[in-house]
Amino acid sequence: AAAAPAAPAARRSKKAPDAPKASRSPYMYFSMEQFPLLRERYPRLPVTDMAKMVAARWAELSDAARAPYVALGDADKRRYLSDKHAYESSLPPKRPASSYALFVKQRRAALSAEQPHLSFAELARALATRWARMGAADRTPFTRAATADSIRYAREKAAYEARQRREAADGPVAE
């Protein structure tokens, strides 16, 4: 009998190569310290068993013994947030949302709570139907919000392009 076709691999969204590396947790710092010690002491022990030993040791640590790892984790989190802010400020602005997108964003959760049996596609169809049946007066708040978002986008895009031109002429500008 022929083998069943392999299931397709789950797709992971690709992280931008310039994006900052996520911060490490206190437990990660602890395990990075413990794994070499365990590898030296138990060279033939499978990694899964070592991971269980590290987890057990972590669970037994007092708050005082965890404090140095917590401090490392906190410092790395501050580094990540700083790097993330710098990275995000270097990206082009997000495109403006349409009035329909703003309508969907506002109404999806309520409709999903009202009718939890609806699939994602059915929920999208129901929202599209409601939008199509709305009169101009009912669409006005969403249209105004979309116009305001378009103005925001134009302002941010102009600032972004000006920054790009300055950096091209002068080199990167620190913010």
Side-chain angles (χ1 to χ4, degrees):
R11 291 186 187 206
R12 295 178 95 181
S13 61
K14 292 187 179 183
K15 184 177 176 183
D18 299 348
K21 190 172 181 181
S23 60
R24 291 182 175 142
S25 68
Y27 176 75
M28 187 57 65
Y29 281 104
F30 176 75
S31 67
M32 287 168 50
E33 178 184 272
Q34 293 295 308
F35 263 90
L37 301 174
L38 290 171
R39 174 64 63 206
E40 187 177 309
R41 188 165 180 193
Y42 307 104
R44 296 186 185 274
L45 193 65
V47 173
T48 54
D49 291 343
M50 275 194 252
K52 290 175 187 175
M53 291 175 74
V54 170
R57 288 180 181 187
W58 178 255
E60 293 171 359
L61 283 184
S62 67
D63 287 346
R66 287 184 184 196
Y69 306 106
V70 171
L72 287 169
D74 289 347
D76 198 36
K77 187 171 188 175
R78 285 190 299 276
R79 184 251 346 135
Y80 170 70
L81 292 174
S82 172
D83 290 354
K84 181 180 171 190
H85 175 72
Y87 173 72
E88 288 175 349
S89 67
S90 72
L91 295 176
K94 298 240 184 252
R95 296 195 51 94
S98 68
S99 52
Y100 176 70
L102 294 169
F103 165 78
V104 168
K105 183 178 179 181
Q106 183 189 64
R107 304 281 173 91
R108 179 182 295 278
L111 183 59
S112 184
E114 279 176 28
Q115 301 182 31
H117 63 281
L118 293 179
S119 70
F120 184 82
E122 291 167 334
L123 193 60
R125 273 193 295 276
L127 287 164
T129 300
R130 288 183 182 195
W131 177 256
R133 291 182 181 159
M134 284 176 77
D138 293 331
R139 290 185 183 191
T140 299
F142 303 105
T143 305
R144 285 187 180 146
T147 300
D149 199 34
S150 292
I151 293 167
R152 181 241 2 126
Y153 174 73
R155 183 180 61 249
E156 290 178 5
K157 184 178 179 189
Y160 173 77
E161 289 172 348
R163 188 172 63 241
Q164 292 291 337
R165 285 190 298 274
R166 275 194 317 273
E167 288 179 6
D170 305 338
V173 177
E175 290 191 26

